[in-house]
Amino acid sequence: MCSSDRTARVFAGEYGGSTLSVQDEDSGNPAWVVTPGGAWCRFMFLSGALTEVVEIGDMVHIRIADPTGVFNLIIGGRNTVLAETLCKIPVPSFVTVTGRAQMYLKNGEVMLSVRPDSIRVVDRLVRDQWVLATAKSTVGRLHDMHLAIQGMCTDERILAAVRHYAMTNPRLQDLAVMVENAVQTVRPPEFDASVPPDVRTLVMEFLQTGSGPRGIAV
C-alpha cells in the first residue's frame, strides 16, 4: 500500500509540488501532506546533501538536496540539541533526516517544509540506497495512480490525490522521468575483478589436508 506508509520516502521534486493537506481523523495528530504522486506524508525519511544552514532569529533553516530538488527544513530553537548538532556538520555533507511534513500558507502562497526530529551524517552509499528505495516506492505509487486514472483502483487516498491534482498519464510520465533521472545518479557498485573463493570448497580442502589420526584441531 503506497499511500499509508508510516514513514514516507518521497523525492524533493515530488514533495515540492504538493498543495493538498488533509487533517487526520484524530485531531491530535499532524495533518497529512499529500503529494502529486499519491504519497501521504506525515513522518518522512529523507536523504541528500546538506547544502545550507542559516540561523534567522531563533530559527535554523536548512536546505538538503536530493537528485530531484531541495527539501527545506526548519528547526525551531537555535539552542536546542538538534540545532547545535546540525550547526557542527560540515557543508556539504550527505545526511539522513527523519522529520514531520508541514504545509502552511504564507501571504496566500503554499509553503512546504520538514521539521526534523533527527539528523545523521552518512556516506554516498547510504544516500544512493535511499535513492533506490525511494524510486521503488515512487514507481509503485505511480502504478496505483495509473490504475486510478483507468478506473481500476478503489484506494480512497490514491483517488483523492488523482482528483485534487487532476492527474493524467502524461503528468505521471513526467514523474516517472524524474525518478529515472534520480536513479541514474546512483554510482554502480565496484566489483572485484577476481573471482571470490568458494568458501565451502576451501573448508573441505582444509579438512582433508589438515586432519590426522585424531581428527583436526578447532
Side-chain angles (χ1 to χ4, degrees):
M1 179 74 80
C2 58
S3 60
S4 58
D5 293 342
R6 181 174 179 81
T7 302
R9 293 174 182 259
V10 183
F11 287 117
E14 178 184 346
Y15 185 69
S18 304
T19 58
L20 176 60
S21 178
V22 178
Q23 183 60 52
D24 190 74
E25 295 178 357
D26 183 347
S27 59
N29 289 332
W32 299 93
V33 175
V34 184
T35 71
W40 284 56
C41 306
R42 175 185 288 159
F43 300 103
M44 300 179 65
F45 176 65
L46 58 96
S47 183
L50 176 67
T51 61
E52 185 176 293
V53 178
V54 178
E55 298 181 37
I56 303 177
D58 194 41
M59 311 289 284
V60 180
H61 295 255
I62 307 105
R63 289 168 64 86
I64 293 178
D66 75 5
T68 69
V70 175
F71 290 102
N72 292 303
L73 284 66
I74 299 176
I75 299 177
R78 59 185 295 182
N79 295 322
T80 63
V81 174
L82 181 59
E84 292 177 356
T85 299
L86 178 64
C87 291
K88 295 178 182 177
I89 299 176
V91 177
S93 294
F94 286 117
V95 297
T96 56
V97 174
T98 57
R100 300 187 181 192
Q102 293 187 318
M103 177 186 293
Y104 56 95
L105 290 176
K106 183 177 181 180
N107 300 325
E109 182 180 356
V110 174
M111 307 297 291
L112 292 162
S113 66
V114 177
R115 185 172 292 272
D117 294 323
S118 67
I119 186 167
R120 184 168 67 96
V121 177
V122 297
D123 57 19
R124 173 67 180 265
L125 177 61
V126 172
R127 197 295 306 253
D128 284 355
Q129 290 172 338
W130 176 86
V131 169
L132 294 176
T134 303
K136 181 179 179 180
S137 176
T138 305
V139 169
R141 288 188 282 101
L142 297 183
H143 174 70
D144 289 345
M145 296 282 282
H146 172 69
L147 292 179
I149 292 172
Q150 304 302 316
M152 301 170 61
C153 175
T154 59
D155 187 327
E156 284 302 323
R157 291 187 168 187
I158 291 294
L159 292 174
V162 170
R163 288 192 294 265
H164 176 79
Y165 292 104
M167 290 302 294
T168 61
N169 283 324
R171 292 190 64 190
L172 291 182
Q173 181 63 30
D174 290 340
L175 290 173
V177 171
M178 177 198 72
V179 174
E180 180 181 7
N181 291 337
V183 170
Q184 289 178 352
T185 69
V186 174
R187 289 179 179 174
E190 297 180 359
F191 294 103
D192 188 349
S194 61
V195 178
D198 186 324
V199 177
R200 185 176 184 277
T201 300
L202 292 179
V203 171
M204 294 303 296
E205 290 178 353
F206 177 66
L207 290 174
Q208 292 170 1
T209 59
S211 60
R214 301 180 64 181
I216 188 169
V218 177

